[in-house]
Amino acid sequence: MTSKQGTLSLTVPVMMGYLPLGAVFGVLWVDASLTWYWAPLMSVIVYAGALQYLAVGMLAAGIGWVDLAVASLLVNFRHLFYGLSLYHLLPKGVIGRPYFIFGITDETYSLLSASGQVKDSKTALQVVALNQSYWILGTLIGMVLARGLPPGLQGLDFALTALFTVLAVEQIRAKKDWGAVVLGLVASGLAGVWMSEYFLLAASIMLVLVLLAWPKSSEVTA
């Protein structure tokens, strides 16, 4: 797939999620009475959905930058391992390569790794750029809509969790890799019981260690 129209159609499922999710972020930001222009700037220079949701509450509560940086590391630690399975799509340009690394979100990773339709780095880079544009547009839409919504709406931040659930289900249906499902459940259970304060980081590290030690003949993938 190399045509722009084909790439656009490939990203439609992400667009359907990112427009409302970005809008929810915009609404939450305005509802928290934070400086308005930082919301679109975060969607441009940070672009980390779960972290942006978390940042709204932390910034509104006056949490310091050091604590926010630590939270950012814990929430986004999993991204360190995404590139290992997408190395074949890594662009070679001095601009394209760092942007590609920066722009790999959970949804983009799921699309590039599970669809089987992206075969070259140029198309992969277009997918990354399109997906971020959806998120930025959604953020702006949400900030506009927030002016007409009653303050303190409940349940909006659950939208991101719902999308992650859908992505997980689609990955399982596409891959049918039940070994990976079991590993994920076990790692999540152990991390939740023993290291609940660092749940995501602990679960990610356990999975990586298991996969590194797994026999090469195994077809288990993360």
Side-chain angles (χ1 to χ4, degrees):
M1 176 180 294
T2 57
S3 69
K4 291 183 179 180
Q5 184 178 2
T7 305
L8 182 62
S9 64
L10 178 64
T11 61
V12 166
V14 176
M15 179 186 69
M16 298 297 289
Y18 269 16
L19 287 179
L21 285 173
V24 169
F25 167 68
V27 171
L28 292 174
W29 189 273
V30 172
D31 191 45
S33 300
L34 297 168
T35 305
W36 71 269
Y37 57 80
W38 280 109
L41 278 176
M42 282 191 69
S43 293
V44 172
I45 64 178
V46 177
Y47 184 41
L51 175 63
Q52 289 182 233
Y53 276 57
L54 178 64
V56 172
M58 296 184 71
L59 291 173
I63 300 297
W65 288 104
V66 174
D67 292 330
L68 186 57
V70 173
S72 301
L73 175 63
L74 296 179
V75 171
N76 289 330
F77 185 80
R78 66 192 184 281
H79 287 251
L80 295 176
F81 307 101
Y82 282 173
L84 296 177
S85 60
L86 296 179
Y87 185 79
H88 62 292
L89 296 176
L90 187 65
K92 296 181 179 179
V94 294
I95 296 178
R97 173 169 290 194
Y99 176 70
F100 180 80
I101 296 171
F102 160 80
I104 297 298
T105 61
D106 297 283
E107 294 77 18
T108 300
Y109 174 80
S110 178
L111 186 62
L112 294 177
S113 62
S115 69
Q117 300 181 58
V118 181
K119 305 295 185 180
D120 60 278
S121 59
K122 181 180 179 181
T123 304
L125 190 60
Q126 292 173 351
V127 168
V128 171
L130 282 170
N131 287 347
Q132 185 178 14
S133 70
Y134 303 145
W135 183 267
I136 296 171
L137 179 59
T139 299
L140 295 173
I141 292 173
M143 296 180 69
V144 173
L145 293 177
R147 305 298 180 182
L149 295 176
L153 286 177
Q154 301 295 316
L156 290 177
D157 50 355
F158 182 74
L160 194 63
T161 302
L163 179 59
F164 283 158
T165 302
V166 172
L167 287 173
V169 171
E170 289 301 314
Q171 282 276 16
I172 293 172
R173 291 177 60 185
K175 299 287 188 178
K176 292 184 173 57
D177 191 343
W178 301 110
V181 174
V182 172
L183 283 177
L185 291 175
V186 171
S188 298
L190 293 176
V193 172
W194 290 335
M195 291 167 280
S196 58
E197 294 183 358
Y198 305 97
F199 171 78
L200 189 57
L201 178 62
S204 299
I205 291 176
M206 281 189 282
L207 281 172
V208 170
L209 292 177
V210 170
L211 292 175
L212 287 176
W214 203 269
K216 293 184 179 180
S217 59
S218 172
E219 296 181 354
V220 174
T221 56

